[in-house]
Amino acid sequence: MKNVQRKRRNWEKRLAAKKNKRKEEKQRRKLKRAEQSVTGTDTDNPQHSKRVVKVITKERLREAQLAGPKLCVDLGMTECMSHKEISRLACQIRRLYGSNRKAARPFHIVLTDMRESSLLYQECLRMNDGFLDYVMDVTEESCVDLFPLESLIYLTPDAEQALNTVDPEKVYILGGLVDESIQKKISYLKAKASGIRTARLPIDEYMVKKSNPKNFHSKILAINQVFDTLLCFCESGSWTQALGEGVPLGKGYMVAQETAETSAP
């Protein structure tokens, strides 16, 4: 009788082990298909649960934190902004992160000069669902505290030098500034005072002004719009395509189709 019971228990263990193995193999194949789908390598394009896609997306963002191109959002200028402008900045941070989540090759995002006691931090918590779970670095330190000065490039529309390509060895900085009063050159002057090299998107080189009823033309973009332009350029190697998709029509510029391309290496 004891032998029969022992054999039965052994049989049940083997059966359970086989079931677990099949379950693990099924989950492994499911995750692999989901990763292929997210990265665009799965030609069958199967449907996946939101949970699986979320797992794959977070893993890709964590890999970017280790080896992806780096982009800082300088949030050390909130004293120049109103409550309304700070709320708009919180929305732009959400959109920027949303774009990074969808990217095939995301950036390593760092929010610098972000203090938990600040109004911006509270607005990010209030307006951005899951902000505390964002796969990005948030620090009270500044860019110059975190990275070598020679690796930093501050992107500002007031820079003289146009950005030619995106160097994975550099750290790109976006000024977290929403300025409805149009205070001049705040991020540019801050970068210069810190000894940081500056660059601008090559709007002048690849775009031309278009006529509009208000005769309005502006090269000042929201941080998420600049980021979307960088993402598109990294994926396509085309400034024509990146600027055409990243610069809103309302800014009064259009792509100059005859302009020669500058391709990424």
Side-chain angles (χ1 to χ4, degrees):
M1 185 67 177
K2 290 183 178 179
N3 288 337
V4 173
Q5 291 176 342
R6 184 171 63 253
K7 289 181 179 180
R8 182 176 179 83
R9 286 196 298 271
N10 289 337
W11 178 80
E12 289 176 344
K13 287 180 180 179
R14 289 196 298 271
L15 182 63
K18 288 182 180 179
K19 287 183 177 179
N20 286 334
K21 187 175 181 180
R22 287 197 299 268
K23 184 177 180 180
E24 290 173 359
E25 180 64 19
K26 183 178 179 181
Q27 181 68 7
R28 186 188 67 79
R29 290 196 300 267
K30 188 175 182 181
L31 287 172
K32 184 176 181 180
R33 289 196 302 269
E35 184 173 9
Q36 290 173 336
S37 177
V38 170
T39 57
T41 59
D42 187 353
T43 57
D44 294 330
N45 192 25
Q47 297 296 318
H48 305 292
S49 68
K50 291 182 179 180
R51 183 184 64 83
V52 172
V53 173
K54 186 176 181 180
V55 169
I56 296 298
T57 299
K58 283 204 168 186
E59 182 61 27
R60 194 166 65 248
L61 290 170
R62 291 191 182 101
E63 289 176 359
Q65 285 184 302
L66 297 175
K70 295 179 175 60
L71 182 134
C72 294
V73 182
D74 175 11
L75 303 174
M77 296 175 283
T78 53
E79 72 277 0
C80 303
M81 299 159 59
S82 66
H83 192 147
K84 179 182 177 182
E85 290 168 340
I86 288 174
S87 297
R88 288 181 58 194
L89 178 58
C91 291
Q92 292 177 15
I93 291 172
R94 181 182 69 243
R95 292 170 184 150
L96 184 151
Y97 180 71
S99 294
N100 204 43
R101 285 182 70 252
K102 297 174 184 176
R105 290 180 292 176
F107 277 70
H108 172 196
I109 304 295
V110 185
L111 303 185
T112 64
D113 293 280
M114 172 70 101
R115 292 167 177 75
E116 293 188 9
S117 59
S118 68
L119 175 60
L120 176 60
Y121 188 85
Q122 298 305 316
E123 286 296 275
C124 284
L125 291 178
R126 182 179 71 86
M127 303 179 69
N128 303 346
D129 290 340
F131 176 72
L132 293 179
D133 295 323
Y134 281 9
V135 185
M136 60 168 59
D137 292 337
V138 182
T139 176
E140 293 187 359
E141 295 184 277
S142 68
C143 301
V144 294
D145 295 327
L146 297 172
F147 304 104
L149 187 63
E150 62 271 16
S151 70
L152 300 177
I153 299 178
Y154 210 119
L155 299 181
T156 167
D158 299 304
E160 295 181 5
Q161 183 69 38
L163 186 68
N164 292 320
T165 189
V166 176
D167 185 345
E169 300 301 318
K170 300 297 184 181
V171 181
Y172 295 91
I173 307 171
L174 303 182
L177 180 66
V178 176
D179 184 14
E180 295 181 348
S181 63
I182 314 297
Q183 302 177 59
K184 299 294 185 181
K185 298 186 176 182
I186 294 178
S187 60
Y188 174 79
L189 293 174
K190 180 177 181 180
K192 284 297 185 182
S194 301
I196 302 174
R197 174 187 167 190
T198 61
R200 56 175 172 79
L201 292 179
I203 293 176
D204 289 338
E205 288 72 15
Y206 290 91
M207 306 189 82
V208 294
K209 293 181 179 180
K210 66 175 184 177
S211 60
N212 59 76
K214 295 183 179 180
N215 194 30
F216 175 78
H217 304 89
S218 175
K219 302 172 189 174
I220 300 174
L221 306 181
I223 57 170
N224 56 293
Q225 293 168 345
V226 177
F227 183 66
D228 287 346
T229 303
L230 293 178
L231 276 179
C232 185
F233 176 75
C234 289
E235 293 177 1
S236 67
S238 166
W239 280 120
T240 297
Q241 180 177 341
L243 292 166
E245 295 183 12
V247 178
L249 295 176
K251 293 295 180 178
Y253 284 87
M254 61 184 293
V255 171
Q257 298 295 339
E258 69 278 8
T259 304
E261 283 292 353
T262 299
S263 299

